[in-house]
Amino acid sequence: MSYINFKGTVKKINLKSAEETEITISIPASELDGQYNTLQSMLELKVIGGLDSQIVTYKVLKNARTGKPITKYTVDDGGMVSVAKPEGEQLSMDLGLPLEKVEVKADPEQIDLDIIQDFILSGLAPRFDDMQYDFLEITERLSDGDTYLKIAADVGMGVGVFVVMVDEYRKRVAPMAAKWDEWRKGQVNTVPPKKGDEPVEGQPDDQQSGNQQDSQDEINTDPSEQSESDDSGKSEDDQNPATDTDPDPVVDKDELEEYILKARPTFEDIPVDFPTLLQQRREEGKTWMQIAKSIGLTSGQITTKWTAYKKKVAKQMKNGGAA
């Protein structure tokens, strides 16, 4: 089976007829590294796929007179977002006055999907009584390459209803994610990464994601991992210059995981026992967030290492088992 994964921009939609719609998608060349031949082999073949917008649009209720949001959010030292009193309500309570009637308008706001996903993966996103699903687990699976169709089937829901539910949850947490992102950027700017720094009280070591590792991460990370953490801010190519021109092989996700569990490959530059962790994830139902915390890593760190590990395993599989 041929499969490729990419991010692009929808450039044109052409309703050619009642039975056919033509969609033009512009894809950066870097997104097709190692996948172009696979894409070429799909020409004129029937394929199945989906488009997931990388921008989330949500509504913000604002005071029509002042233009300020009705609901405001505060973030504590640990990154926990909470709702402040709506505008005018606190003042009315303090003075013992009746609540002022405020004319409200709903303005659209936009936020990058990556910010919402980071917020959810941080474990700080709220749960809602009318949406009793594990959106942390869902987001982890989507980030790991699972499709909406597969996850919807696992939770016993039609894919259309499932996508609407996920989109609704993202919109609900979007304003909180935006406030959390401001706090996260402020932490990065005020506490620059530096070896030997003491941990900052109240600053969680899972506030960074991927390439944003600070001194708190270095201190809380096992010494055997510190050399790799130091490189986490570099690109894959910077850390592995010898493989700059090697295209990333495309391997079916299920086949790759089965190979990991059977062959249990290890690599000196990735000192994490991913075969055992993957087995725990399957047999014990643990999330990657739980696994990361159990071995002293942040969600960003384990995601970076897991991605690098899978690429090496995929190359090993393509080479017939040779590292």
Side-chain angles (χ1 to χ4, degrees):
M1 181 185 74
S2 298
Y3 172 82
I4 66 170
N5 187 38
F6 60 83
K7 290 182 180 180
T9 304
V10 175
K11 289 293 188 179
K12 184 171 65 175
I13 301 174
N14 181 20
L15 302 176
K16 299 184 70 174
S17 68
E19 292 78 27
E20 183 178 2
T21 301
E22 187 176 74
I23 302 174
T24 302
I25 301 176
S26 177
I27 306 170
S30 59
E31 287 288 325
L32 292 177
D33 282 350
Q35 301 187 98
Y36 185 78
N37 289 339
T38 304
L39 175 62
Q40 196 172 36
S41 70
M42 295 181 182
L43 189 63
E44 298 298 334
L45 296 181
K46 290 183 178 181
V47 297
I48 185 172
L51 300 178
D52 196 6
S53 175
Q54 298 302 291
I55 299 294
V56 175
T57 301
Y58 60 101
K59 298 286 187 179
V60 176
L61 297 179
K62 295 182 179 180
N63 184 313
R65 181 173 58 83
T66 65
K68 295 181 179 180
I70 297 297
T71 302
K72 297 181 180 180
Y73 299 92
T74 59
V75 187
D76 65 17
D77 292 337
M80 182 65 68
V81 184
S82 57
V83 180
K85 288 287 184 182
E87 183 180 296
E89 183 173 320
Q90 186 63 54
L91 181 61
S92 298
M93 290 176 62
D94 292 343
L95 299 178
L97 300 174
L99 291 177
E100 178 188 1
K101 291 185 178 180
V102 179
E103 185 180 348
V104 176
K105 64 177 182 177
D107 284 346
E109 299 280 350
Q110 292 187 329
I111 185 173
D112 287 344
L113 177 60
D114 286 343
I115 294 175
I116 294 180
Q117 289 179 325
D118 285 349
F119 178 55
I120 296 172
L121 292 173
S122 74
L124 297 171
R127 289 175 176 264
F128 301 103
D129 292 339
D130 59 334
M131 304 182 82
Q132 294 294 329
Y133 288 89
D134 189 346
F135 288 96
L136 172 57
E137 175 75 11
I138 289 171
T139 303
E140 286 179 337
R141 291 186 61 179
L142 289 171
S143 300
D144 203 32
D146 276 359
T147 64
Y148 287 95
L149 183 63
K150 184 174 182 180
I151 303 175
D154 288 346
V155 299
M157 186 182 296
V159 65
V161 177
F162 177 76
V163 170
V164 170
M165 180 189 69
V166 172
D167 186 54
E168 173 61 25
Y169 180 79
R170 289 170 175 171
K171 289 179 179 179
R172 287 196 195 183
V173 303
M176 288 173 272
K179 190 67 178 180
W180 173 81
D181 188 51
E182 289 179 10
W183 170 83
R184 174 175 63 168
K185 290 176 180 176
Q187 296 296 306
V188 173
N189 292 333
T190 57
V191 188
K194 183 178 179 183
K195 281 190 176 182
D197 281 351
E198 293 298 320
V200 180
E201 184 177 357
Q203 181 177 331
D205 64 12
D206 63 346
Q207 71 186 20
Q208 308 297 331
S209 65
N211 296 334
Q212 295 177 321
Q213 302 299 331
D214 63 7
S215 57
Q216 180 74 9
D217 290 324
E218 293 182 89
I219 292 169
N220 289 338
T221 303
D222 185 82
S224 64
E225 299 294 332
Q226 286 186 4
S227 61
E228 179 146 341
S229 296
D230 293 342
D231 290 336
S232 64
K234 301 178 182 178
S235 67
E236 182 81 10
D237 292 341
D238 291 336
Q239 296 179 40
N240 302 286
T243 60
D244 284 353
T245 59
D246 293 343
D248 293 334
V250 179
V251 178
D252 179 76
K253 176 180 177 291
D254 291 335
E255 292 180 8
L256 185 139
E257 291 190 355
E258 289 302 322
Y259 179 84
I260 291 173
L261 293 173
K262 291 180 180 179
R264 309 187 79 80
T266 59
F267 306 97
E268 291 184 0
D269 57 337
I270 306 180
V272 178
D273 187 1
F274 278 115
T276 298
L277 298 182
L278 179 60
Q279 188 172 347
Q280 287 180 2
R281 179 171 163 79
R282 285 195 173 188
E283 295 179 355
E284 302 175 24
K286 290 185 176 181
T287 66
W288 281 119
M289 175 71 71
Q290 293 170 328
I291 292 173
K293 289 182 178 180
S294 71
I295 60 175
L297 296 179
T298 68
S299 59
Q301 286 174 323
I302 199 167
T303 298
T304 299
K305 296 176 190 296
W306 175 233
T307 300
Y309 178 81
K310 288 191 296 182
K311 287 182 179 180
K312 287 180 175 290
V313 172
K315 289 180 180 179
Q316 188 179 94
M317 292 173 67
K318 289 295 185 181
N319 292 333

